[in-house]
Amino acid sequence: MDGYRLVDEALGRVLYIDLRRKTYWVRSRPELFLKFLGGVGVATQLLKEELSPDADPLSPDNVVVLAIGVLTGVYPTASKVVAMFRSPLTGNLGESHAGGRAPVAMRMAGFGAIVIKGASETPIYLSIHDGVVEFKDASALWGVRSSLTIGKVLREREPWPGMRSIMRIGRAGERMVRYASVILETYRHFGRLGLGAVWGSKKLKAVVVGGKRTIPVADVSTYRRFYKELFDEITKSSVMQKYHDLGTPVNVLPLNKIGGLPTRNLTSNSFEGAEEISGEAFAEYSLARRVACAHCPVACIHIAVIRERYPHEKYFYTTRYIGYDYEPIYALGSMLGIKDREGLLRLIEEVDVVGLDAMSTGVALAWTTEAFKKGMLSESDTLLKPEWGDWRTYINMVKHIVNQPNDFYRILASGVEKASKVYGGSEFALTYGGNEMPGYHTGPGAHIGFLIGLRHSHLDNAGYSTDQKYIGKEYPSPQSLIEELVEEEVWRQILSSLVVCFFSRGVYKPSAVSKALEPLGIRLSEEELRKLGMEIYREKLKLKIRLGYRLEELKPPKRVFETPSPFGIIGEEYFNEALQHYREKVLQLLST
Ligand code: SF4
C-alpha cells in the first residue's frame, strides 16, 4: 500500500476522548486505514495500542473503539459501524456491529474511528459535531425507564443539520448487566457482548455524533459507474428481495421445517408455534412499515405495530412500534415457547426499553426456566414461576434482571455461564466462550462455528449456512469443515473492515471489492485482499490470546449432543476431532 494516499483525508482522523479529564484530541492515522481499510482491521490495531491486557472490563481502564471503513457512505450497504472493547460477558475481546445512521454520521463528522477511554464520575453524554466534542451533563437522563425516551429527548436537545446518530444505553447498561446493549436511533443495536455495560461503567449515557460534508473520490466517473452496478445488483438480487419483503424472520419457517429452530432451551429442534411467529405471520398481521440503515436501499428492518386501548376511553387507542428480527423471535419466542405474537412483541419491546441484548436475555430466561423446572432453582430465587410460553412472567423477569432484587438476579445479570457455575445446569447452559447461543441448531457447522468464531457469534463464519448447504449431501470431514469455516471467517474480516452489511456479502465478493476500492484510490487485487483478510484474522486472534483466550478451554454445552439436528444427533467424536484440527491450525497460523 506504500505510495497511495487516502483520498478522503478526514477518514484517517482518529478522535480520542478521555471521559475522566473531559478532554479530546485528534490524531491523523491514514496509514491504518490504508493498510487495514477501516472497521475491525483498524479497531484491532487501536485496541492493541490502547487496551492493557489486565484491564477490568467494567473499570475506567477498558477502552471502546468505534470504527467505520473506506466504503462507508460511499457505496450502498456499507452501512455498519464496528465497536470493539473488552467484553464484560466473556472477559475477552468484544466485537459488535450495528447499522442505523451512526456509520455515515461518523463519516460526516469527519472521523474514521473514535476511541473512548477513562470514566466520568457523573453521568454524561457526548455531543460530537463538526469536529467539536462537548461533554454534557446526563444526570437527568440517568435512571429514565425507557431507552426510547432518551432518544426522543436527545433528538430535541441536539437539533443539528446533516446526518446525526444517537447511540445510548438503557437502564440495563446503567446497572451494568453484562449483556446490556447500546441502542442506535430506534431499531438498531450494538447488541452482543455487553457494550452497554461498558458504557454504564463509564457513566456514559449516550453519544450523539453527526456532521455534514462531502466525501471526495479519486475517479468520479468510474465511481458512478461502479456504484450503479452495485446498486442494481443489490436491489435486484433475490436474496435482498427476501430481506426486504419479510426481513430476517423469513428464516423462521425454513429452519423449523429442517429441525434447526432451537426451542425451549434446545430441548427440541422445532416449534409447534412456528407458524404464528413466522415472518409471514408478522407481515400479514403486525407489519406497520420498513426502515433502512443510512445508505442502504434494502430496508430489511421490519417494524410491527401494537394497539392498546386506553383503560377508561372506549374507542381510543395508543399505538406503539416495535422492531422485530429473526434473532429476537428465536431467543424470546421459540426458545421460551412463546407463540402468542403480540405477547412476543411486548417482550421484545421490554428488552429494548431497558436496553438488553435479546439473544443473551432469551437464553438466560430459557436456562432459568429449565433449571427451575428441574428443581435447581426455587421460587425464592426466581421470585416468579417461569413457565414456557408465559410472556407476562418473562417480562417481569426482564425487569428483575435489570433491577437485580436478589442474589439470583445479580448472578443472572452476569450471564448464563456464570449462573450455571453457581446453581448447576452447565450441561444445558447454552453458551460458547461465555456468549449465549444464536438461533441455529442446523448441524455441526453452526455449533463448531459459534465456538471457534473469534467473537463466538453466528456471524463470524456462518457455520449455520454451511450446514444448510450440505443437507441431503455428504457432510464434510471435520478437517474440511474447519478449513471451510476459517476460510469464510478470514474473508469476513475484509467485510468487517469495510463494515459492509453481511446481508450483501453475496454482492461484495472479492472481485467486486477490488473494483469498488479503485475509484477511491486504493488498488488491491483479489489475492491481496484475501491475504489482508488473513492478516486481520491473525491480528485479532493474537489480541484475543493477549486478553486471555485459551484454545484448550473451548467446550460446547452437552445439550448440543442430545437434541437431533437436521443431520441427526451431532457426534461428540466428530466435534472433538474438528476442534483438535482447529487448534493445530491456529498454532500453525500463529507461527507463520
Ligand atoms: S440490509 Fe438491513 S441491516 Fe443491512 S444495511 Fe440494509 S437495512 Fe441495515
Side-chain angles (χ1 to χ4, degrees):
M1 295 299 302
D2 293 344
Y4 295 111
R5 72 178 182 88
L6 216 42
V7 174
D8 179 20
E9 282 174 10
L11 181 73
R13 282 156 48 90
V14 178
L15 172 64
Y16 293 81
I17 298 171
D18 184 334
L19 296 176
R20 187 172 73 85
R21 295 193 178 87
K22 313 263 185 304
T23 55
Y24 68 95
W25 61 98
V26 177
R27 279 194 201 139
S28 201
R29 307 291 304 271
E31 79 291 350
L32 278 184
F33 286 83
L34 278 168
K35 178 155 189 202
F36 295 106
L37 305 174
V40 162
V42 166
T44 302
Q45 297 304 317
L46 290 170
L47 268 192
K48 265 171 67 184
E49 292 170 13
E50 299 292 334
L51 180 64
S52 157
D54 46 21
D56 183 302
L58 295 179
S59 79
D61 297 335
N62 201 356
V63 175
V64 174
V65 180
L66 306 176
I68 56 172
V70 289
L71 302 191
T72 307
V74 177
Y75 285 112
T77 70
S79 305
K80 299 273 174 169
V81 49
V82 67
M84 289 182 85
F85 50 97
R86 187 170 210 155
S87 163
L89 183 64
T90 67
N92 204 276
L93 185 62
E95 177 186 330
S96 190
H97 299 211
R101 288 190 295 271
V104 182
M106 267 176 72
R107 186 128 197 200
M108 293 294 111
F111 300 110
I114 300 175
V115 178
I116 302 172
K117 301 160 44 141
S120 172
E121 276 175 12
T122 54
I124 54 164
Y125 78 89
L126 299 173
S127 170
I128 306 169
H129 190 231
D130 282 342
V132 176
V133 180
E134 290 180 79
F135 299 81
K136 297 193 175 176
D137 181 26
S139 307
L141 304 176
W142 205 258
V144 169
R145 180 179 134 66
S146 171
S147 65
L148 309 176
T149 308
I150 303 298
K152 285 181 191 152
V153 171
L154 290 178
R155 256 202 311 274
E156 295 296 315
R157 273 209 202 173
E158 306 285 334
W160 321 315
M163 179 66 75
R164 178 201 53 187
S165 171
I166 300 172
M167 306 176 244
R168 73 276 185 189
I169 58 170
R171 286 197 59 246
E174 294 175 8
R175 305 274 302 155
M176 288 182 269
V177 178
R178 287 169 188 244
Y179 39 96
S181 66
V182 171
I183 301 121
L184 287 78
E185 311 1 312
T186 315
Y187 304 112
R188 296 288 89 185
H189 311 86
F190 287 116
R192 308 243 66 195
L193 296 165
L195 182 64
V198 177
W199 284 27
S201 73
K202 294 182 177 301
K203 290 270 192 299
L204 177 61
K205 183 69 187 173
V207 176
V208 188
V209 62
K212 193 178 181 189
R213 57 181 206 99
T214 309
I215 305 170
V217 296
D219 177 348
V220 176
S221 65
T222 322
Y223 164 65
R224 282 208 180 120
R225 201 177 53 247
F226 194 62
Y227 183 98
K228 187 170 177 337
E229 273 177 39
L230 272 177
F231 185 89
D232 287 349
E233 209 179 329
I234 286 169
T235 47
K236 286 176 191 150
S237 110
S238 59
V239 181
M240 299 311 260
Q241 186 65 40
K242 115 186 151 172
Y243 285 129
H244 175 77
D245 289 347
L246 294 180
T248 51
V250 71
N251 293 328
V252 173
L253 289 181
L255 282 169
N256 192 55
K257 191 167 170 208
I258 61 171
L261 180 66
T263 298
R264 295 188 194 87
N265 205 36
L266 195 56
T267 50
S268 172
N269 62 9
S270 60
F271 183 39
E272 71 286 354
E275 288 281 351
E276 282 97 318
I277 58 168
S278 65
E280 289 79 352
F282 272 106
E284 179 96 24
Y285 303 110
S286 311
L287 179 63
R289 61 194 164 101
R290 299 170 180 83
V291 294
C293 301
H295 216 150
C296 172
V298 179
C300 79
I301 307 163
H302 283 55
I303 314 296
V305 63
I306 51 177
R307 291 201 317 160
E308 204 159 329
R309 194 156 77 82
Y310 283 105
H312 307 298
E313 300 276 358
K314 200 166 175 200
Y315 295 115
F316 287 83
Y317 296 87
T318 170
T319 46
R320 298 204 304 276
Y321 295 92
I322 299 145
Y324 63 92
D325 258 308
Y326 171 70
E327 296 295 349
I329 290 176
Y330 134 73
L332 301 167
S334 65
M335 204 55 169
L336 299 178
I338 295 175
K339 61 180 172 189
D340 177 329
R341 212 170 27 257
E342 193 160 317
L344 172 54
L345 282 171
R346 283 167 198 265
L347 181 57
I348 292 174
E349 182 185 35
E350 183 63 26
V351 166
D352 222 22
V353 159
V354 296
L356 282 170
D357 175 45
M359 278 194 255
S360 288
T361 305
V363 175
L365 294 175
W367 173 84
T368 303
T369 308
E370 187 168 347
F372 181 81
K373 283 177 173 293
K374 288 194 155 104
M376 292 167 165
L377 296 171
S378 69
E379 211 176 323
S380 65
D381 297 312
T382 56
L383 306 175
L384 296 155
K385 282 188 184 162
E387 182 57 70
W388 304 123
D390 180 2
W391 56 270
R392 288 182 183 82
T393 297
Y394 288 128
I395 286 179
N396 288 325
M397 288 172 76
V398 167
K399 291 179 180 154
H400 284 335
I401 289 174
V402 176
N403 293 326
Q404 298 159 39
N406 64 7
D407 279 350
F408 171 69
Y409 283 104
R410 266 189 291 284
I411 290 163
L412 193 62
S414 294
V416 168
E417 188 158 296
K418 174 81 189 286
S420 67
K421 276 184 185 150
V422 176
Y423 294 94
S426 57
E427 62 284 9
F428 56 86
L430 293 161
T431 71
Y432 295 78
N435 193 19
E436 284 78 14
M437 178 186 165
Y440 304 90
H441 182 54
T442 49
H447 294 284
I448 293 169
F450 304 153
L451 205 56
I452 68 168
L454 293 185
R455 53 180 164 140
H456 305 293
S457 142
H458 61 300
L459 294 167
D460 282 310
N461 45 45
Y464 63 98
S465 137
T466 306
D467 284 335
Q468 290 175 72
K469 192 171 79 187
Y470 288 110
I471 288 179
K473 298 183 189 145
E474 194 185 339
Y475 202 80
S477 68
Q479 286 85 347
S480 310
L481 178 67
I482 290 296
E483 293 300 323
E484 211 171 311
L485 294 179
V486 172
E487 191 185 329
E488 180 64 27
E489 189 163 347
V490 164
W491 172 246
R492 286 183 179 220
Q493 301 317 302
I494 294 294
L495 301 181
S496 300
S497 297
L498 299 166
V499 222
V500 298
C501 176
F502 281 178
F503 294 159
S504 55
R505 63 187 178 275
V507 175
Y508 283 95
K509 295 186 185 111
S511 55
V513 172
S514 176
K515 257 170 101 178
L517 291 171
E518 221 178 292
L520 308 181
I522 297 174
R523 264 175 239 128
L524 281 171
S525 67
E526 293 179 40
E527 188 46 34
E528 286 168 326
L529 279 167
R530 285 206 177 85
K531 268 196 194 144
L532 178 61
M534 180 54 88
E535 188 176 346
I536 297 168
Y537 181 85
R538 206 182 282 126
E539 288 288 294
K540 210 157 88 173
L541 187 58
K542 281 187 196 158
L543 178 57
K544 264 186 86 102
I545 290 171
R546 207 170 112 197
L547 295 176
Y549 180 52
R550 298 283 170 266
L551 290 171
E552 57 280 10
E553 286 170 12
L554 291 178
K555 281 195 186 67
K558 249 187 144 202
R559 173 62 45 83
V560 168
F561 306 114
E562 295 167 351
T563 302
S565 76
F567 298 93
I569 291 284
I570 298 171
E572 273 194 78
E573 212 175 294
Y574 180 99
F575 211 99
N576 290 336
E577 220 182 294
L579 282 185
Q580 185 52 30
H581 183 69
Y582 176 67
R583 290 186 192 107
E584 286 160 15
K585 188 167 180 71
V586 165
L587 291 178
Q588 179 215 331
L589 280 178
L590 291 175
S591 67
T592 52

